[in-house]
């Protein structure tokens, strides 16, 4: 057996119109009320909260003293001054016309679920398209019958708007918040300047020879994706492949955002923090169409290494049988176009058995299980010391990787990030030496992965998330990666290469619309 030494590292190019957070402020209600903002409405005159009874599906009252889930609504932004209100149960507030009561029975929003908002600091008036204002009636109902035009005094048509959360900063919020013209301008500038061919030069010089590039499902419709998404992501992906080929770098395409969202997070382009993908056959079909589009377009490109069928499906919300059915169909689609490209199956995030995908018989050749480990966003790690964090890496993660590598099943690609892939950050206010020790521990343990690992991200305003900063400051010795390729003789005179212990540094460049968390 001939052993050839090569440099093989993964970095994460968060690409193509995904989770685009450049610190924008969407103009509109309070200057920042975008899709997914959670709000509560309190009647100024009665000091009672608007409530969707039973969380939605029926009447709307204005009679609650203490606001909880039934009194919390998610905004869907239609324009700077028009919004829809989604209940905790998923229905929308609706009003048929002047004089009607507001109810929460609509499953999908249209004109009768769209309300015009006037604001005065933290107070609002809500009116219909006809111009009629809503008010808290004497019977504690929300009705469209306020006489005349309300002022900002103590009247039944004035409500206090309380913003409970405003955490989503993904592509949907960005594009729909700015509006098409402004969003196109900002996206174009970002794509042209944030990641360039010089970044691939940097990766090549530091031994990174693979990048993972997440894309949104709407890339299959580029250059005219469905609203509010902005075209141009396909050209950005083409550029990345061209630059990768120039520097002999491989690419993994990752479907990071599926229609309806597979995990409710901003980087999956959830509109309001909900997860609709697993319950919609249309959404799953659209996802498979996107895989077909990507596989057919790039299967023969010399820089393609593999396609990841879905990033971070939620264990709590995506049933395993739904996911494995999708994965099996996606595997067949990729194999229509390539017999060698790796097909990567991401483990469900949350409370899921790491072995569950091993037993699913997802595909026969060149398949990879993608596990996501991190010491963040979990209360378990909240009070751990630096030493405890490091020991957990060695004892728990190391033991698990050894066990999985010995199991019968696909290769493992261990991608550890802020909402997935690993990062040299934790809940410890440590010194640079602590960070170096922590990074070193992760590198030592994650090298046991039989396919590799990945780092999030190439560039970031937070220094420990920034691969370039880590390289320059020698934190965790994240630098030149090496791997061995085992070469095996095939039945013919050709040679077949199997990836054997490659360390994959994943590079998050915001959506080639690239990820920037300023």
């Amino acid at each position: 057996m001939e052993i050839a030494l090569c440099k093989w590292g993964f970095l994460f190019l968060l690409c193509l119109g995904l989770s685009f957070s450049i610190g924008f402020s969407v103009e509109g209600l309070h200057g920042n009320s975008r899709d997914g903002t959670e709000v509560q409405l309190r009647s100024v005159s009665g000091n009672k909260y608007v409530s969707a009874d039973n969380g939605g599906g029926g009447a709307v009252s204005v009679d609650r003293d203490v606001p909880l889930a039934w009194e919390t609504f998610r905004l869907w932004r239609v324009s700077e001054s028009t919004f829809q209100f989604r209940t905790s149960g998923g229905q929308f507030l609706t009003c048929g016309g002047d004089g009607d009561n507001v109810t929460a029975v609509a499953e999908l929003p249209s004109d009768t679920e769209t309300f015009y908002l006037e604001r005065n600091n933290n107070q609002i008036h809500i009116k219909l398209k006809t111009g009629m204002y809503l008010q808290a009636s004497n019977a504690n109902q929300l009705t469209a019958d306020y006489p005349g035009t309300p002022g900002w005094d103590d009247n039944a048509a004035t409500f206090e708007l309380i913003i409970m959360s405003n955490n989503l900063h993904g592509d949907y919020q960005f594009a729909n918040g700015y509006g098409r013209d402004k969003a196109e301008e900002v996206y174009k500038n970002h794509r042209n300047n944030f990641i360039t061919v010089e970044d691939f030069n940097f990766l090549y010089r530091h031994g990174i020879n693979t990048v993972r590039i997440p894309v949104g499902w709407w890339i299959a419709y580029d250059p005219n994706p469905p609203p509010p998404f902005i075209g141009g992501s396909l050209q950005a992906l083409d550029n990345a492949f061209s630059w990768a080929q120039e520097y002999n770098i491989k690419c993994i395409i990752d479907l990071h955002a599926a229609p309806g969202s597979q995990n409710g997070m901003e980087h999956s382009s959830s509109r309001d923090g909900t997860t609709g993908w697993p319950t919609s056959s249309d959404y799953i079909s659209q996802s498979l169409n996107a895989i077909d589009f990507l596989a057919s377009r790039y299967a023969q490109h010399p820089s393609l290494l593999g396609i990841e069928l879905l990033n971070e499906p939620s264990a709590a919300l995506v049933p395993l049988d739904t996911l494995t059915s999708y994965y099996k169909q996606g595997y067949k689609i990729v194999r229509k176009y390539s017999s060698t490209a790796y097909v990567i199956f991401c483990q469900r995030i949350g409370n899921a058995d790491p072995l569950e995908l091993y037993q699913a018989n997802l595909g026969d050749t060149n398949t990879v299980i993608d596990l996501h480990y991190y010491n963040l966003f979990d209360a378990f790690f909240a009070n751990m010391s630096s030493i405890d964090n490091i020991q957990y890496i060695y004892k728990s993660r190391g033991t698990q990787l050894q066990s999985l590598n010995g199991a019968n099943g696909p290769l493992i690609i261990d991608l550890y990030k802020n909402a997935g892939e690993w990062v040299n950050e934790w809940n410890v206010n440590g010194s640079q030496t602590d960070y170096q020790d922590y990074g070193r521990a992760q590198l030592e343990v994650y090298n046991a992965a039989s396919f590799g690992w990945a780092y999030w991200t190439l560039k970031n305003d937070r220094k420990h998330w920034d691969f370039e900063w880590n390289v320059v400051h020698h934190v965790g010795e994240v630098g030149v990666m090496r791997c061995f390729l085992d070469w095996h003789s095939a039945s013919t005179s050709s040679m077949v290469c199997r990836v054997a212990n490659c360390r994959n540094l994943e590079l998050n460049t915001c959506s080639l619309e690239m990820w920037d968390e300023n």
Side-chain angles (χ1 to χ4, degrees):
M1 178 186 299
E2 177 184 357
I3 304 295
L5 180 65
C6 75
K7 303 173 183 177
W8 193 291
F10 265 63
L11 278 164
F12 192 48
L13 276 186
L14 175 59
C15 91
L16 306 167
L18 208 95
S19 301
F20 188 17
S21 301
I22 359 185
F24 61 88
S25 175
V26 177
E27 294 301 323
L29 195 61
H30 283 271
N32 62 3
S33 288
R34 48 186 171 262
D35 291 273
T37 299
E38 291 186 318
V39 300
Q40 295 170 345
L41 304 171
R42 186 183 65 85
S43 169
V44 170
S45 61
N47 198 30
K48 302 288 186 179
Y49 288 88
V50 176
S51 177
D53 294 351
N54 298 310
V60 173
S61 58
V62 191
D63 60 355
R64 299 304 173 101
D65 294 315
V66 178
L68 297 171
W70 295 0
E71 293 73 52
T72 302
F73 305 91
R74 290 187 176 99
L75 293 181
W76 280 29
R77 187 179 190 275
V78 179
S79 71
E80 184 173 341
S81 59
T82 55
F83 292 83
Q84 295 153 347
F85 295 85
R86 196 179 195 188
T87 68
S88 60
Q91 298 84 7
F92 292 84
L93 298 190
T94 184
C95 186
D98 294 356
D100 288 351
N101 286 0
V102 176
T103 59
V105 296
E107 297 295 331
L108 293 173
S110 61
D111 284 349
T112 54
E113 290 73 50
T114 301
F115 300 92
Y116 294 76
L117 305 186
E118 300 171 347
R119 69 182 180 91
N120 178 36
N121 296 320
N122 66 333
Q123 292 185 338
I124 62 169
H125 297 147
I126 309 170
K127 65 178 181 179
L128 306 183
K129 187 175 182 179
T130 62
M132 181 64 71
Y133 289 90
L134 304 186
Q135 68 168 334
S137 72
N138 292 332
N140 294 327
Q141 300 296 306
L142 189 61
T143 57
D145 57 359
Y146 184 84
T149 302
W152 297 106
D153 53 1
D154 186 4
N155 63 75
T158 300
F159 298 85
E160 179 185 2
L161 180 80
I162 303 167
I163 295 180
M164 302 304 296
S165 71
N166 193 7
N167 298 323
L168 292 176
H169 302 79
D171 273 73
Y172 203 104
Q173 287 73 33
F174 175 83
N176 201 40
Y178 262 135
R180 191 165 195 85
D181 291 343
K182 181 62 175 178
E184 285 181 344
E185 175 188 341
V186 178
Y187 266 121
K188 182 177 180 180
N189 180 67
H190 188 66
R191 290 168 178 157
N192 289 342
N193 296 287
F194 188 65
I195 296 296
T196 69
V197 66
E198 291 305 314
D199 293 291
F200 284 79
N201 185 329
F202 172 87
L203 298 178
Y204 172 78
R205 288 186 288 106
H206 289 87
I208 305 303
N209 67 3
T210 305
V211 293
R212 178 174 175 251
I213 308 176
V215 301
W217 61 273
W218 56 92
I219 194 173
Y221 302 90
D222 210 83
N224 298 303
F229 299 110
I230 305 300
S233 58
L234 185 59
Q235 182 60 59
L237 183 58
D238 285 345
N239 289 343
F241 267 81
S242 296
W243 298 336
Q245 184 177 6
E246 182 177 346
Y247 286 99
N248 196 29
I249 289 174
K250 296 295 184 180
C251 298
I252 288 176
I253 307 174
D254 161 39
L255 186 63
H256 213 78
S261 175
Q262 70 276 18
N263 54 36
M265 299 179 186
E266 75 280 358
H267 56 79
S268 65
S269 201
S270 175
R271 180 170 189 174
D272 64 0
T274 58
T275 301
W277 181 82
T279 58
S280 169
S281 59
D282 287 342
Y283 286 159
I284 292 174
S285 178
Q286 280 183 291
S287 302
L288 293 170
N289 289 340
I291 295 300
D292 191 286
F293 171 81
L294 294 165
S296 64
R297 185 178 183 89
Y298 296 102
Q300 303 308 312
H301 197 288
S303 289
L304 180 70
L305 181 65
I307 295 177
E308 183 157 5
L309 301 180
L310 189 66
N311 179 72
E312 293 189 339
S314 167
L317 299 170
V318 179
L320 181 59
D321 58 350
T322 300
L323 183 63
T324 55
S325 173
Y326 168 77
Y327 278 165
K328 290 177 181 179
Q329 294 177 75
Y331 174 84
K332 292 178 181 178
I333 289 172
V334 176
R335 287 289 169 260
K336 281 197 312 181
Y337 302 102
S338 173
S339 61
T340 58
Y342 285 93
V343 182
I344 302 172
F345 313 110
C346 188
Q347 171 71 22
R348 295 188 298 169
I349 59 170
N351 187 20
D353 181 356
L355 286 173
E356 64 184 17
L357 294 182
Y358 278 73
Q359 303 158 356
N361 190 26
L362 300 175
D364 298 321
T365 59
N366 286 7
T367 56
V368 178
I369 299 295
D370 173 2
L371 300 177
H372 290 194
Y373 291 147
Y374 48 86
N375 287 25
L376 281 169
F377 314 120
D378 188 331
F380 178 79
F381 299 99
N383 297 313
M384 278 191 180
S385 67
S386 58
I387 294 175
D388 290 339
N389 272 274
I390 291 170
Q391 288 303 308
Y392 186 87
I393 296 295
Y394 282 118
K395 293 179 179 180
S396 180
R397 304 250 198 259
T399 299
Q400 186 178 78
L401 279 176
Q402 290 176 9
S403 173
L404 292 175
N405 281 335
N408 292 325
L411 297 172
I412 308 170
I413 176 173
D414 294 297
L415 306 176
Y416 316 96
K417 67 179 179 185
N418 59 340
E421 296 69 16
W422 81 272
V423 64
N424 201 35
E425 188 57 281
W426 51 7
N427 293 312
V428 176
N429 185 20
S431 66
Q432 179 155 319
T433 299
D434 291 330
Y435 275 101
Q436 288 174 326
D437 292 342
Y438 180 53
R440 186 178 299 110
Q442 292 186 90
L443 286 172
E444 290 176 5
V445 170
Y446 301 157
N447 278 341
S450 56
F451 187 78
W453 51 260
Y455 192 89
W456 180 297
T457 67
L458 175 64
K459 296 180 178 180
N460 201 290
D461 65 316
R462 292 173 288 179
K463 60 186 181 182
H464 293 116
W465 300 75
D466 188 308
F467 173 75
E468 291 182 344
W469 185 92
N470 279 274
V471 170
V472 171
H473 291 83
H474 309 290
V475 175
E477 298 181 354
V478 179
V480 175
M481 307 303 146
R482 293 172 181 258
C483 78
F484 290 96
L485 294 180
D486 290 343
W487 295 84
H488 301 277
S489 296
S491 57
T492 65
S493 59
S494 63
M495 305 297 286
V496 177
C497 177
R498 177 176 65 86
V499 179
N501 283 312
C502 298
R503 289 176 279 180
N504 301 337
L505 242 199
E506 188 165 350
L507 176 145
N508 169 19
T509 72
C510 169
S511 50
L512 249 63
E513 313 167 30
M514 301 156 188
W515 179 288
D516 182 2
E517 299 192 40
N518 292 333

